[in-house]
Amino acid sequence: MTFKRRSAIPGFGLTLGLTLLWLSLIVLIPLTALVLRAATGGWAHFIETAFSERAIAAYRVSFGTALIAAAVNAVFGLLVAFVLVRYRFPGQRLLSALVDLPFALPTAVAGIALTAIYADTGWVGKLLAPYGIRLAYEPQGIVIALIFIGLPFIVRTVEPVLADLGVEAEEAAATLGASRWRTFRSVVLPEILPALITGFALAFARGVGEYGSVIFIAGNMPFKSEIAPLLIVTSLEEFDYAGATGIAIVMLLASLAALLLINWVQHRERVRRGL
Amino acid sequence: MTRASPLDAPLWLKSSLILIVLAYIAVVILLPLAAVFSEAFASGLPAWIEAISEPDAQAAIKLTLLVAVIAVPLNCVFGVVASWAVAKHDFPGKALLVSLIDLPFSVSPVVSGLVYVLLFGAGGWLGPWLQEHDIQIIFALPGIVLATIFVTFPFVARELIPLMQSQGRDEEEAALSLGATGWQTFRKVTLPNIRWGLLYGVLLTNARAMGEFGAVSVVSGHIRGETNTMPLHIELLYNDYNLAAAFAVASLLAGLALVTLVLKTALEWRHGDAIASRGH
């Protein structure tokens, strides 16, 4: 390793010290306390609480619905990003601003609004009820909430990469006789795939942990439409700290896995681009 | 694009793609937004005013504002300090530090609240000591503030770090070599360079701080009129089948979200270069 020139800008010790102190107090110590708490109960006890039948059913609901919602958004989010970058049409800026609404709208507000729409008496629920289609108070309702929550993650991750992508390679492909779809598939898609995977992982991770927008519309039936974060809250309300901790550890590991995947994808991408 | 390109899509393709996107945004985004306001004013304006002016709602509004007034500035200062350390200096472990700062984004809000209950709650590690000294953190304001700081932790730093990195260190170094102190350099050189990015970060922090539900729900104890923030008050009204009042309070938060979006969009239009380094 070569010697790096030391930065001439002062305040390094002070700002790094404060950063580490604040980070430790707010994030690291509390998270460590969670892990230690699980560890002090013993391995067997942890397995028993974190993988009880009800907990496993809750993970299945949480991970399954988050996966479906992220997949739906991967398709439509990519389309939204593509249209925003490549086409010009009236109302485009308004559309672009609206994509960020799920970031700004409190989750509880989204939750009750979605429930109002998709319940049997709601604007959409009313139309579907005669055909026997129920969306609210069913696992499908969770997917609807997570689609709302996850959309901006995909659009905002893919959009800048798509904008940076020159049209030259596509033009070359088109000139050489590739069809429109083939050009997209073989020229555009490989370039934006890392961003798409990153956005997908972000939306998925957020969806797995999401609480506020989901609990109103989910119905919250154990083994059917009960999400893992709700099971943590229920355990806490019953003063079952060990149960809450065990499930929290599993969810923490899942989010760390998603984080690692994102970092790995981005690292590979940087290496590929020679940065 | 003005010149003709072999990529120019035929009109039918272009307009159907745009229509699909418009329909998707209308159903996914616009419909819930419209539902909030339509339900909020379904019983008329007087009912709406009554719902947001009853004492418990007022207490919830005040608590939400108070929490934001404490949590947002703290995270704002932290964000600037952390970005200064990360962007203006080189040190080993920098990437790890940035990942750790980002960590709260990927933790479930419920888990964010839980960690403080395990530390400060009655059955938590510091619980007995706190009880002895008559200090209440969980089910009280300090717990709500802590949980809010946790969930909004990365917003400002995440906005500023890439911005300050892309601006480099030349200007600061020039000021320092001309005899400015470190503090003067920060105030006169760095701060004007990052002010729009900082405002952007503060805007996002505030929106999340006022709207946080899961984390705050775990630590608040839901004491009506005392530890209920606006989102928690909405849940309480909703579970009481008082839908009109729930949506009235929700419409205030939806209004805040719209104001946030308008300001954010305005910042992106007018100062796009000064807030985003993403393209680099």
Side-chain angles (χ1 to χ4, degrees), chain A residues 7 9 26 73 100 209 255, chain B residues 24 78 88-89 106 108 116 264:
Chain A
S7 171
I9 299 171
I26 297 291
N73 272 333
D100 279 334
S255 35
Chain B
Y24 191 69
F78 166 79
K88 303 292 178 190
H89 304 90
S106 32
S108 169
Y116 293 109
K264 183 175 159 300

Side-chain angles (χ1 to χ4, degrees), chain A residues 8-21:
Chain A
I9 299 171
F12 175 59
L14 178 73
T15 52
L16 185 66
L18 280 174
T19 303
L20 290 176
L21 177 74

